[in-house]
Amino acid sequence: MLAISSDFSSNDYVNTITRIKGSVIKHIEFRKVIDAISECHNSTKIGCPNNLLLTGSSGSGKSALLTYYKNKYLERYNGDSVFPILYLKSPLHAKPRELAISLLEQMDVNYRNNLSLSSMTNKVVESITQLGIELIMLDDIEHLFDATSLRIHSDSVEWLRMLFDNLQVSVILSGLEVSNRLLLHNAAFASRVLSRVTLSPLDEDEYALFLQTIDSYLPFSEKSWLTEQAIEKLYLTTDGLPGYTKEIIIKATRLAFEEDRLTDWHIIKTCNLLSRSSQNSRNLDFVLLDDQELHTGQYRRKSKMEKFI
């Protein structure tokens, strides 16, 4: 268990995590995606719904941007009815019945478990219409693939196509880049998803600005090293992906509570810890050193980054 300085409370850490997770950088890619989302939303309002497929690597910030748009619209929303944006994540093994149940539960609509799929689908359509939903955001649509074989759940894709045909509401589908295969798999489905946008990783200048934004959220009295040194090292480690960067910063912040400042040691230490886990090792190429070597600054990267020794 990591010790936390008495100068910080658990609330400080929780608030820091919340702010970091919700942070976005308003770069060119951000504006491109937000404009596409806004166009979809507005198309519902004028009676010509337009569906969108948003793709990008894991950690590129797709979910963060969808949440950002939803929250910003909520700030301006003055309606007395149900909030008109419906955001949900696709369930694992997203079969038609599971998709229908997820939509109903997200809308807080009661249903009977013994309903047929047809009746449940009708209930989904009726509820969306009655509640005045203007935009549906369906995240993690890579769950329309079998996790083991990567075969597409054809019945789920066809169910979504029929749902599109029965709704007068724009739908945003968001998922990993493999989700583009859904359009090749079902031509009728593809004809209902005419807008497509890919969220690319941040470039180096955007990444530096992103780190400055995160630095301003950290609960330390001193400015961290992140805006002054080693940005390129962290950039290469994370491939410019905001989500992965946030994960590293959040874990490193907890390590840094005792010192009241985030330093390169905390970042490299965190990278070492993550590289020993099964999930993140693919992006890490730091030579693993012990704590004493890290404290003396004797860390280095493998040969392609020898210039940083």
Side-chain angles (χ1 to χ4, degrees), residues 24-42:
V24 295
I25 177 68
K26 298 179 181 179
H27 58 299
I28 294 175
E29 292 287 313
F30 169 92
R31 295 186 181 93
K32 177 180 72 175
V33 174
I34 291 297
D35 287 347
I37 295 172
S38 180
E39 182 178 340
C40 281
H41 191 178
N42 290 332

Side-chain angles (χ1 to χ4, degrees), residues 49-98:
N50 175 40
N51 302 318
L52 166 71
L53 175 62
L54 169 62
T55 58
S57 302
S58 177
S60 59
K62 303 180 298 298
S63 298
L65 285 184
L66 293 176
T67 302
Y68 175 88
Y69 182 89
K70 178 175 69 71
N71 290 341
K72 284 297 181 182
Y73 192 79
L74 180 60
E75 291 176 4
R76 305 192 305 269
Y77 182 64
N78 296 317
D80 296 326
S81 59
V82 173
F83 183 61
I85 296 179
L86 185 64
Y87 173 87
L88 70 156
K89 291 182 177 290
S90 302
L92 288 171
H93 315 298
K95 304 294 283 182
R97 189 174 186 83
E98 284 70 32

Side-chain angles (χ1 to χ4, degrees), residues 267-303:
I267 295 297
I268 303 304
K269 174 68 174 178
T270 301
C271 289
N272 280 2
L273 292 172
L274 289 175
S275 69
R276 296 185 181 108
S277 70
S278 59
Q279 286 188 329
N280 299 297
S281 58
R282 65 180 183 85
N283 282 325
L284 298 174
D285 60 356
F286 281 105
V287 175
L288 300 184
L289 304 176
D290 60 29
D291 287 355
Q292 183 176 1
E293 290 174 307
L294 282 169
H295 270 303
T296 58
Q298 296 176 5
Y299 60 85
R300 66 179 181 86
R301 296 177 66 89
K302 292 181 180 178
S303 58

Side-chain angles (χ1 to χ4, degrees), residues 149-164:
S149 67
L150 290 184
R151 290 181 179 176
I152 295 171
H153 295 312
S154 299
D155 53 348
S156 299
V157 176
E158 182 61 17
W159 184 83
L160 283 174
R161 181 199 65 77
M162 291 188 294
L163 186 67
F164 295 161

